[in-house]
CSV table of all heavy atoms in Angstrom, one decimal:
chain,number,residue,atom,x,y,z
A,268,MET,N,68.3,132.0,94.3
A,268,MET,CA,69.7,132.0,93.9
A,268,MET,C,69.9,133.1,92.9
A,268,MET,O,70.4,134.1,93.1
A,268,MET,CB,70.1,130.7,93.4
A,268,MET,CG,71.6,130.5,93.1
A,268,MET,SD,72.0,128.8,93.0
A,268,MET,CE,72.9,128.8,91.6
A,269,PHE,N,69.4,132.9,91.6
A,269,PHE,CA,69.4,133.8,90.5
A,269,PHE,C,68.0,134.2,90.1
A,269,PHE,O,67.8,134.7,89.1
A,269,PHE,CB,70.2,133.3,89.4
A,269,PHE,CG,71.6,133.0,89.6
A,269,PHE,CD1,72.2,131.7,89.7
A,269,PHE,CD2,72.5,134.1,89.8
A,269,PHE,CE1,73.5,131.5,89.9
A,269,PHE,CE2,73.8,133.9,90.1
A,269,PHE,CZ,74.4,132.6,90.2
A,270,GLY,N,67.0,134.0,90.9
A,270,GLY,CA,65.6,134.2,90.6
A,270,GLY,C,65.1,133.1,89.6
A,270,GLY,O,64.1,133.5,88.9
A,271,LEU,N,65.8,132.0,89.5
A,271,LEU,CA,65.2,131.0,88.6
A,271,LEU,C,64.3,130.0,89.4
A,271,LEU,O,64.7,129.5,90.4
A,271,LEU,CB,66.4,130.1,88.0
A,271,LEU,CG,67.4,130.9,87.1
A,271,LEU,CD1,68.5,130.0,86.7
A,271,LEU,CD2,66.7,131.4,86.0
A,272,GLY,N,63.1,129.9,88.9
A,272,GLY,CA,62.2,129.0,89.4
A,272,GLY,C,62.1,127.7,88.6
A,272,GLY,O,63.0,127.4,87.7
A,273,PHE,N,61.3,126.8,88.9
A,273,PHE,CA,61.2,125.5,88.4
A,273,PHE,C,60.8,125.7,86.9
A,273,PHE,O,61.4,125.0,86.0
A,273,PHE,CB,60.2,124.7,89.1
A,273,PHE,CG,60.1,123.2,88.6
A,273,PHE,CD1,61.2,122.4,88.9
A,273,PHE,CD2,59.1,122.8,87.9
A,273,PHE,CE1,61.1,121.0,88.5
A,273,PHE,CE2,59.0,121.4,87.4
A,273,PHE,CZ,60.0,120.6,87.7
A,274,PRO,N,59.8,126.5,86.5
A,274,PRO,CA,59.6,126.6,85.0
A,274,PRO,C,60.7,127.1,84.2
A,274,PRO,O,60.9,126.6,83.1
A,274,PRO,CB,58.4,127.6,84.9
A,274,PRO,CG,57.8,127.6,86.3
A,274,PRO,CD,58.9,127.3,87.3
A,275,GLU,N,61.5,128.1,84.7
A,275,GLU,CA,62.7,128.5,84.0
A,275,GLU,C,63.7,127.5,83.9
A,275,GLU,O,64.4,127.3,82.8
A,275,GLU,CB,63.3,129.7,84.8
A,275,GLU,CG,62.4,130.9,84.6
A,275,GLU,CD,61.4,131.1,85.8
A,275,GLU,OE1,61.4,130.1,86.7
A,275,GLU,OE2,60.7,132.1,85.8
A,276,LEU,N,63.9,126.7,84.9
A,276,LEU,CA,64.9,125.6,84.8
A,276,LEU,C,64.4,124.5,83.8
A,276,LEU,O,65.3,123.9,83.0
A,276,LEU,CB,65.0,124.8,86.2
A,276,LEU,CG,65.8,125.8,87.2
A,276,LEU,CD1,65.8,125.0,88.5
A,276,LEU,CD2,67.1,126.1,86.8
A,277,ILE,N,63.2,124.2,83.7
A,277,ILE,CA,62.7,123.3,82.6
A,277,ILE,C,62.9,123.8,81.2
A,277,ILE,O,63.3,123.0,80.4
A,277,ILE,CB,61.2,123.0,82.9
A,277,ILE,CG1,60.9,122.3,84.2
A,277,ILE,CG2,60.6,122.2,81.7
A,277,ILE,CD1,61.5,120.9,84.4
A,278,VAL,N,62.7,125.1,81.1
A,278,VAL,CA,62.9,125.7,79.7
A,278,VAL,C,64.4,125.6,79.3
A,278,VAL,O,64.7,125.3,78.2
A,278,VAL,CB,62.4,127.2,79.6
A,278,VAL,CG1,62.8,127.9,78.4
A,278,VAL,CG2,60.9,127.2,79.8
A,279,ILE,N,65.3,125.9,80.3
A,279,ILE,CA,66.7,125.8,80.0
A,279,ILE,C,67.1,124.4,79.7
A,279,ILE,O,67.9,124.1,78.8
A,279,ILE,CB,67.5,126.3,81.3
A,279,ILE,CG1,67.3,127.8,81.4
A,279,ILE,CG2,69.0,126.0,81.1
A,279,ILE,CD1,67.8,128.4,82.7
A,280,LEU,N,66.6,123.4,80.4
A,280,LEU,CA,66.9,122.0,80.2
A,280,LEU,C,66.4,121.6,78.8
A,280,LEU,O,67.1,120.9,78.1
A,280,LEU,CB,66.2,121.1,81.3
A,280,LEU,CG,66.4,119.5,81.1
A,280,LEU,CD1,68.0,119.3,81.2
A,280,LEU,CD2,65.6,118.8,82.2
A,281,VAL,N,65.2,122.0,78.4
A,281,VAL,CA,64.7,121.7,77.0
A,281,VAL,C,65.6,122.3,76.0
A,281,VAL,O,66.0,121.6,74.9
A,281,VAL,CB,63.2,122.1,76.9
A,281,VAL,CG1,62.8,122.1,75.5
A,281,VAL,CG2,62.3,121.4,77.8
A,282,ILE,N,66.0,123.5,76.2
A,282,ILE,CA,67.0,124.2,75.2
A,282,ILE,C,68.3,123.4,75.1
A,282,ILE,O,68.8,123.2,74.0
A,282,ILE,CB,67.1,125.7,75.5
A,282,ILE,CG1,65.8,126.4,75.3
A,282,ILE,CG2,68.3,126.2,74.7
A,282,ILE,CD1,65.9,127.8,75.9
A,283,VAL,N,68.8,123.1,76.2
A,283,VAL,CA,70.1,122.3,76.3
A,283,VAL,C,69.9,120.9,75.6
A,283,VAL,O,70.8,120.5,74.7
A,283,VAL,CB,70.6,122.2,77.7
A,283,VAL,CG1,71.7,121.1,77.8
A,283,VAL,CG2,71.1,123.5,78.2
A,284,ILE,N,68.8,120.2,75.8
A,284,ILE,CA,68.6,118.9,75.1
A,284,ILE,C,68.5,119.2,73.6
A,284,ILE,O,69.0,118.3,72.8
A,284,ILE,CB,67.4,118.2,75.7
A,284,ILE,CG1,67.7,117.8,77.1
A,284,ILE,CG2,66.9,117.1,74.8
A,284,ILE,CD1,66.5,117.2,77.8
A,285,MET,N,67.8,120.3,73.2
A,285,MET,CA,67.7,120.5,71.7
A,285,MET,C,69.0,120.8,71.1
A,285,MET,O,69.2,120.4,70.0
A,285,MET,CB,66.8,121.6,71.5
A,285,MET,CG,65.3,121.3,71.7
A,285,MET,SD,64.1,122.7,71.7
A,285,MET,CE,64.6,123.7,70.4
A,286,ILE,N,69.9,121.5,71.8
A,286,ILE,CA,71.1,121.9,71.2
A,286,ILE,C,72.2,120.7,71.2
A,286,ILE,O,72.7,120.4,70.2
A,286,ILE,CB,71.8,123.0,72.1
A,286,ILE,CG1,71.0,124.3,71.8
A,286,ILE,CG2,73.2,123.3,71.6
A,286,ILE,CD1,71.4,125.5,72.7
A,287,PHE,N,72.3,120.0,72.3
A,287,PHE,CA,73.3,119.0,72.4
A,287,PHE,C,72.8,117.5,72.2
A,287,PHE,O,73.5,116.7,71.8
A,287,PHE,CB,74.0,119.0,73.8
A,287,PHE,CG,74.8,120.2,74.1
A,287,PHE,CD1,74.3,121.2,74.9
A,287,PHE,CD2,76.0,120.5,73.4
A,287,PHE,CE1,75.0,122.3,75.2
A,287,PHE,CE2,76.6,121.7,73.7
A,287,PHE,CZ,76.2,122.6,74.5
A,288,GLY,N,71.5,117.3,72.4
A,288,GLY,CA,70.9,116.1,72.2
A,288,GLY,C,71.0,115.2,73.6
A,288,GLY,O,71.9,115.5,74.3
A,289,ALA,N,70.2,114.3,73.7
A,289,ALA,CA,70.1,113.6,75.0
A,289,ALA,C,71.3,112.7,75.2
A,289,ALA,O,71.7,112.4,76.3
A,289,ALA,CB,68.8,112.8,75.0
A,290,GLY,N,72.0,112.3,74.2
A,290,GLY,CA,73.1,111.3,74.3
A,290,GLY,C,74.4,112.0,74.8
A,290,GLY,O,75.2,111.4,75.4
A,291,LYS,N,74.4,113.3,74.5
A,291,LYS,CA,75.7,114.0,75.0
A,291,LYS,C,75.6,114.6,76.4
A,291,LYS,O,76.6,115.0,76.9
A,291,LYS,CB,76.0,115.2,74.0
A,291,LYS,CG,76.4,114.8,72.6
A,291,LYS,CD,77.8,114.4,72.7
A,291,LYS,CE,78.3,114.2,71.2
A,291,LYS,NZ,79.7,113.9,71.2
A,292,LEU,N,74.4,114.6,77.0
A,292,LEU,CA,74.3,115.2,78.3
A,292,LEU,C,75.1,114.6,79.4
A,292,LEU,O,75.8,115.2,80.2
A,292,LEU,CB,72.8,115.2,78.7
A,292,LEU,CG,71.9,116.2,78.0
A,292,LEU,CD1,70.4,116.1,78.5
A,292,LEU,CD2,72.4,117.6,78.1
A,293,PRO,N,75.2,113.2,79.4
A,293,PRO,CA,76.2,112.6,80.5
A,293,PRO,C,77.6,113.0,80.3
A,293,PRO,O,78.3,113.3,81.2
A,293,PRO,CB,75.9,111.1,80.3
A,293,PRO,CG,74.6,110.9,79.6
A,293,PRO,CD,74.5,112.1,78.8
A,294,GLU,N,78.1,113.1,79.0
A,294,GLU,CA,79.4,113.5,78.8
A,294,GLU,C,79.7,115.0,79.2
A,294,GLU,O,80.7,115.3,79.8
A,294,GLU,CB,79.7,113.4,77.3
A,294,GLU,CG,79.7,111.9,76.8
A,294,GLU,CD,79.9,111.9,75.3
A,294,GLU,OE1,80.5,112.9,74.7
A,294,GLU,OE2,79.5,110.8,74.7
A,295,ILE,N,78.7,115.9,78.9
A,295,ILE,CA,78.8,117.2,79.3
A,295,ILE,C,78.8,117.4,80.8
A,295,ILE,O,79.6,118.1,81.4
A,295,ILE,CB,77.7,118.1,78.6
A,295,ILE,CG1,77.9,118.1,77.1
A,295,ILE,CG2,77.6,119.5,79.2
A,295,ILE,CD1,76.6,118.6,76.3
A,296,GLY,N,77.9,116.7,81.5
A,296,GLY,CA,77.9,116.7,82.9
A,296,GLY,C,79.2,116.2,83.5
A,296,GLY,O,79.6,116.8,84.6
A,297,GLY,N,79.7,115.1,83.0
A,297,GLY,CA,81.0,114.6,83.5
A,297,GLY,C,82.1,115.6,83.3
A,297,GLY,O,82.9,115.7,84.3
A,298,ALA,N,82.1,116.3,82.3
A,298,ALA,CA,83.2,117.2,82.0
A,298,ALA,C,83.1,118.4,82.9
A,298,ALA,O,84.1,118.9,83.4
A,298,ALA,CB,83.2,117.6,80.5
A,299,ILE,N,81.9,118.8,83.1
A,299,ILE,CA,81.7,120.0,84.1
A,299,ILE,C,82.0,119.6,85.5
A,299,ILE,O,82.7,120.3,86.2
A,299,ILE,CB,80.2,120.5,84.0
A,299,ILE,CG1,80.0,121.2,82.7
A,299,ILE,CG2,79.9,121.4,85.1
A,299,ILE,CD1,78.4,121.5,82.4
A,300,GLY,N,81.7,118.4,85.9
A,300,GLY,CA,82.1,117.9,87.2
A,300,GLY,C,83.5,117.7,87.5
A,300,GLY,O,84.0,118.1,88.5
A,301,LYS,N,84.2,117.3,86.4
A,301,LYS,CA,85.8,117.1,86.5
A,301,LYS,C,86.3,118.5,86.6
A,301,LYS,O,87.3,118.7,87.4
A,301,LYS,CB,86.2,116.4,85.3
A,301,LYS,CG,86.0,114.9,85.4
A,301,LYS,CD,86.6,114.2,84.1
A,301,LYS,CE,86.2,112.8,84.1
A,301,LYS,NZ,86.7,112.0,82.9
A,302,GLY,N,85.8,119.5,85.8
A,302,GLY,CA,86.3,120.8,85.9
A,302,GLY,C,86.1,121.5,87.2
A,302,GLY,O,87.1,122.1,87.8
A,303,ILE,N,85.0,121.3,87.8
A,303,ILE,CA,84.7,121.8,89.2
A,303,ILE,C,85.6,121.2,90.3
A,303,ILE,O,86.1,121.8,91.1
A,303,ILE,CB,83.2,121.7,89.6
A,303,ILE,CG1,82.3,122.6,88.6
A,303,ILE,CG2,82.9,122.0,91.0
A,303,ILE,CD1,80.9,122.4,88.7
A,304,LYS,N,85.7,119.9,90.1
A,304,LYS,CA,86.6,119.1,91.1
A,304,LYS,C,88.0,119.6,91.0
A,304,LYS,O,88.7,119.8,92.0
A,304,LYS,CB,86.5,117.6,90.8
A,304,LYS,CG,87.2,116.7,91.8
A,304,LYS,CD,86.9,115.3,91.5
A,304,LYS,CE,87.6,114.4,92.5
A,304,LYS,NZ,87.3,112.9,92.2
A,305,SER,N,88.5,119.8,89.8
A,305,SER,CA,89.9,120.2,89.6
A,305,SER,C,90.1,121.6,90.1
A,305,SER,O,91.0,121.9,90.8
A,305,SER,CB,90.2,120.2,88.1
A,305,SER,OG,91.5,120.8,87.9
A,306,PHE,N,89.1,122.5,89.9
A,306,PHE,CA,89.1,123.9,90.5
A,306,PHE,C,89.2,123.9,91.9
A,306,PHE,O,90.0,124.6,92.5
A,306,PHE,CB,88.0,124.7,89.9
A,306,PHE,CG,87.9,126.1,90.4
A,306,PHE,CD1,88.8,127.0,89.9
A,306,PHE,CD2,87.1,126.4,91.4
A,306,PHE,CE1,88.8,128.3,90.4
A,306,PHE,CE2,87.1,127.7,92.0
A,306,PHE,CZ,87.9,128.7,91.4
A,307,LYS,N,88.3,123.1,92.6
A,307,LYS,CA,88.2,123.0,94.0
A,307,LYS,C,89.6,122.5,94.6
A,307,LYS,O,90.1,123.0,95.6
A,307,LYS,CB,87.1,122.2,94.5
A,307,LYS,CG,85.8,122.7,94.4
A,307,LYS,CD,84.7,121.8,95.0
A,307,LYS,CE,83.4,122.4,94.9
A,307,LYS,NZ,82.3,121.5,95.5
A,308,ARG,N,90.2,121.5,94.0
A,308,ARG,CA,91.4,120.9,94.4
A,308,ARG,C,92.6,122.0,94.3
A,308,ARG,O,93.4,122.1,95.2
A,308,ARG,CB,91.8,119.7,93.6
A,308,ARG,CG,92.9,118.9,94.1
A,308,ARG,CD,93.2,117.6,93.4
A,308,ARG,NE,92.0,117.0,92.8
A,308,ARG,CZ,92.0,116.6,91.5
A,308,ARG,NH1,93.0,116.9,90.7
A,308,ARG,NH2,90.9,116.1,91.0
A,309,ALA,N,92.6,122.6,93.2
A,309,ALA,CA,93.6,123.7,93.0
A,309,ALA,C,93.5,124.9,94.0
A,309,ALA,O,94.5,125.4,94.4
A,309,ALA,CB,93.6,124.2,91.6
A,310,SER,N,92.3,125.2,94.3
A,310,SER,CA,92.0,126.3,95.2
A,310,SER,C,92.4,126.0,96.7
A,310,SER,O,92.7,126.8,97.5
A,310,SER,CB,90.7,126.9,95.2
A,310,SER,OG,89.7,125.9,95.6
A,311,GLN,N,92.3,124.6,97.0
A,311,GLN,CA,92.5,124.3,98.4
A,311,GLN,C,94.0,123.7,98.6
A,311,GLN,O,94.4,123.5,99.6
A,311,GLN,CB,91.6,123.1,98.8
A,311,GLN,CG,90.2,123.5,98.9
A,311,GLN,CD,89.3,122.4,99.1
A,311,GLN,OE1,89.6,121.2,99.1
A,311,GLN,NE2,88.0,122.7,99.3
A,312,GLU,N,94.7,123.7,97.5
A,312,GLU,CA,96.1,123.2,97.6
A,312,GLU,C,97.0,124.2,98.3
A,312,GLU,O,96.9,125.4,98.0
A,312,GLU,CB,96.7,122.9,96.2
A,312,GLU,CG,98.0,122.2,96.1
A,312,GLU,CD,98.3,121.9,94.6
A,312,GLU,OE1,97.7,121.0,94.1
A,312,GLU,OE2,99.2,122.5,94.1
A,313,PRO,N,97.8,123.8,99.2
A,313,PRO,CA,98.7,124.8,99.9
A,313,PRO,C,99.7,125.4,99.0
A,313,PRO,O,100.1,124.8,97.9
A,313,PRO,CB,99.4,124.0,101.0
A,313,PRO,CG,99.2,122.5,100.7
A,313,PRO,CD,98.0,122.4,99.7
A,314,ASP,N,100.1,126.6,99.3
A,314,ASP,CA,101.1,127.3,98.5
A,314,ASP,C,102.4,126.7,98.4
A,314,ASP,O,103.1,126.8,97.4
A,314,ASP,CB,101.3,128.7,99.0
A,314,ASP,CG,100.0,129.6,98.8
A,314,ASP,OD1,99.3,129.3,97.9
A,314,ASP,OD2,99.9,130.6,99.5
A,315,ASP,N,102.8,125.9,99.4
A,315,ASP,CA,104.1,125.1,99.4
A,315,ASP,C,104.2,124.1,98.2
A,315,ASP,O,105.2,123.9,97.6
A,315,ASP,CB,104.4,124.4,100.7
A,315,ASP,CG,104.5,125.4,101.8
A,315,ASP,OD1,104.8,126.6,101.6
A,315,ASP,OD2,104.4,125.0,103.0
A,316,LYS,N,103.1,123.6,97.9
A,316,LYS,CA,103.1,122.6,96.8
A,316,LYS,C,103.1,123.3,95.5
A,316,LYS,O,103.7,122.8,94.5
A,316,LYS,CB,101.8,121.7,96.8
A,316,LYS,CG,101.9,120.6,97.7
A,316,LYS,CD,100.6,119.7,97.4
A,316,LYS,CE,100.8,118.3,98.0
A,316,LYS,NZ,99.6,117.5,97.9
A,317,LYS,N,102.5,124.4,95.3
A,317,LYS,CA,102.5,125.2,94.1
A,317,LYS,C,103.9,125.8,93.7
A,317,LYS,O,104.4,125.6,92.6
A,317,LYS,CB,101.5,126.3,94.1
A,317,LYS,CG,100.1,125.8,94.2
A,317,LYS,CD,99.1,127.0,94.2
A,317,LYS,CE,97.7,126.5,94.5
A,317,LYS,NZ,96.8,127.6,94.7
A,318,ASN,N,104.5,126.3,94.7
A,318,ASN,CA,105.8,127.0,94.6
A,318,ASN,C,106.8,126.5,95.6
A,318,ASN,O,107.0,127.1,96.6
A,318,ASN,CB,105.7,128.5,94.7
A,318,ASN,CG,104.8,129.1,93.6
A,318,ASN,OD1,104.8,128.6,92.5
A,318,ASN,ND2,104.0,130.1,94.1
A,319,PRO,N,107.5,125.3,95.4
A,319,PRO,CA,108.3,124.8,96.4
A,319,PRO,C,109.6,125.7,96.5
A,319,PRO,O,109.9,126.3,95.6
A,319,PRO,CB,108.7,123.5,95.9
A,319,PRO,CG,108.4,123.5,94.4
A,319,PRO,CD,107.3,124.5,94.2
A,320,PRO,N,110.2,125.8,97.7
A,320,PRO,CA,111.4,126.6,97.8
A,320,PRO,C,112.5,126.1,97.0
A,320,PRO,O,112.6,124.8,96.8
A,320,PRO,CB,111.7,126.6,99.3
A,320,PRO,CG,111.0,125.4,99.9
A,320,PRO,CD,109.8,125.2,98.9
A,321,PRO,N,113.4,126.9,96.5
A,321,PRO,CA,114.5,126.3,95.7
A,321,PRO,C,115.5,125.5,96.6
A,321,PRO,O,115.7,125.8,97.8
A,321,PRO,CB,115.2,127.6,95.2
A,321,PRO,CG,114.8,128.7,96.0
A,321,PRO,CD,113.4,128.3,96.6
A,322,LYS,N,116.0,124.4,96.0
A,322,LYS,CA,116.9,123.5,96.8
A,322,LYS,C,118.3,124.2,96.7
A,322,LYS,O,118.7,124.7,95.7
A,322,LYS,CB,116.9,122.2,96.1
A,322,LYS,CG,115.6,121.4,96.3
A,322,LYS,CD,115.6,120.1,95.7
A,322,LYS,CE,114.3,119.4,95.9
A,322,LYS,NZ,114.1,118.1,95.4
A,323,ASP,N,119.1,123.9,97.7
A,323,ASP,CA,120.4,124.4,97.7
A,323,ASP,C,121.3,123.5,96.7
A,323,ASP,O,121.1,122.3,96.6
A,323,ASP,CB,121.0,124.2,99.1
A,323,ASP,CG,120.4,125.2,100.1
A,323,ASP,OD1,119.9,126.3,99.6
A,323,ASP,OD2,120.4,124.9,101.3
A,324,ASN,N,122.1,124.2,96.0
A,324,ASN,CA,123.0,123.5,95.1
A,324,ASN,C,124.3,123.1,95.8
A,324,ASN,O,125.0,124.0,96.3
A,324,ASN,CB,123.3,124.4,93.9
A,324,ASN,CG,124.0,123.7,92.7
A,324,ASN,OD1,124.4,122.6,92.9
A,324,ASN,ND2,124.1,124.4,91.6
A,325,PRO,N,124.6,121.8,95.9
A,325,PRO,CA,125.8,121.4,96.7
A,325,PRO,C,127.1,121.8,96.0
A,325,PRO,O,128.1,121.8,96.6
A,325,PRO,CB,125.6,119.9,96.8
A,325,PRO,CG,124.8,119.5,95.8
A,325,PRO,CD,123.9,120.7,95.5
A,326,ASP,N,127.0,122.1,94.7
A,326,ASP,CA,128.3,122.4,94.0
A,326,ASP,C,128.8,123.9,94.4
A,326,ASP,O,130.0,124.1,94.2
A,326,ASP,CB,128.1,122.3,92.4
A,326,ASP,CG,127.7,120.8,92.0
A,326,ASP,OD1,128.2,120.0,92.8
A,326,ASP,OD2,127.1,120.7,91.0
A,327,LYS,N,127.9,124.7,94.7
A,327,LYS,CA,128.3,126.0,95.0
A,327,LYS,C,128.9,126.1,96.5
A,327,LYS,O,128.5,125.4,97.3
A,327,LYS,CB,127.1,127.0,95.0
A,327,LYS,CG,126.6,127.3,93.6
A,327,LYS,CD,125.5,128.4,93.6
A,327,LYS,CE,125.0,128.7,92.2
A,327,LYS,NZ,124.0,129.7,92.3
A,328,GLU,N,129.9,127.0,96.6
A,328,GLU,CA,130.5,127.2,97.9
A,328,GLU,C,129.6,128.1,98.7
A,328,GLU,O,129.0,129.1,98.2
A,328,GLU,CB,131.8,128.0,97.7
A,328,GLU,CG,132.9,127.1,97.1
A,328,GLU,CD,134.3,127.8,97.1
A,328,GLU,OE1,134.5,128.7,97.9
A,328,GLU,OE2,135.0,127.4,96.2
A,329,LYS,N,129.4,127.8,100.0
A,329,LYS,CA,128.6,128.5,100.9
A,329,LYS,C,129.4,129.6,101.6
A,329,LYS,O,130.6,129.3,102.0
A,329,LYS,CB,128.0,127.6,102.0
A,329,LYS,CG,126.9,126.6,101.4
A,329,LYS,CD,126.3,125.8,102.4
A,329,LYS,CE,125.3,124.9,101.8
A,329,LYS,NZ,124.6,124.0,102.8
A,330,PRO,N,128.9,130.8,101.7
A,330,PRO,CA,129.7,131.8,102.4
A,330,PRO,C,129.8,131.5,103.8
A,330,PRO,O,128.9,131.0,104.5
A,330,PRO,CB,128.9,133.1,102.2
A,330,PRO,CG,127.5,132.7,101.8
A,330,PRO,CD,127.7,131.3,101.2
A,331,VAL,N,131.0,131.8,104.4
A,331,VAL,CA,131.3,131.5,105.8
A,331,VAL,C,131.2,132.7,106.6
A,331,VAL,O,131.5,133.7,106.4
A,331,VAL,CB,132.7,130.8,106.0
A,331,VAL,CG1,133.0,130.5,107.3
A,331,VAL,CG2,132.8,129.6,105.0
């Protein structure tokens, strides 16, 4: 993928544990997971939901 092997991943994991602590890792993982899920949902949402067409105003007169 990025040229990362098992030893490199272990070093990164140790650094992350030293910075955030073991207690915060589940919270960080959950936040990252929610962010990815939200991004996927937003990218798969049809354009009609994002920008619905304007509704006709019944008070205005329609041209004949």
Side-chain angles (χ1 to χ4, degrees):
M268 189 162 132
F269 295 110
L271 295 176
F273 189 71
E275 290 88 1
L276 292 175
I277 296 297
V278 170
I279 292 171
L280 181 64
V281 168
I282 292 171
V283 168
I284 289 175
M285 287 173 41
I286 292 173
F287 295 110
K291 290 279 187 182
L292 288 181
E294 294 174 25
I295 294 169
I299 291 172
K301 286 179 184 178
I303 292 172
K304 187 176 180 180
S305 175
F306 178 76
K307 284 183 179 181
R308 191 178 328 126
S310 65
Q311 293 175 354
E312 189 173 288
D314 288 336
D315 294 343
K316 271 189 169 180
K317 292 178 186 174
N318 299 321
K322 295 181 180 179
D323 290 336
N324 191 347
D326 296 336
K327 288 186 177 181
E328 292 183 23
K329 293 183 180 180
V331 181

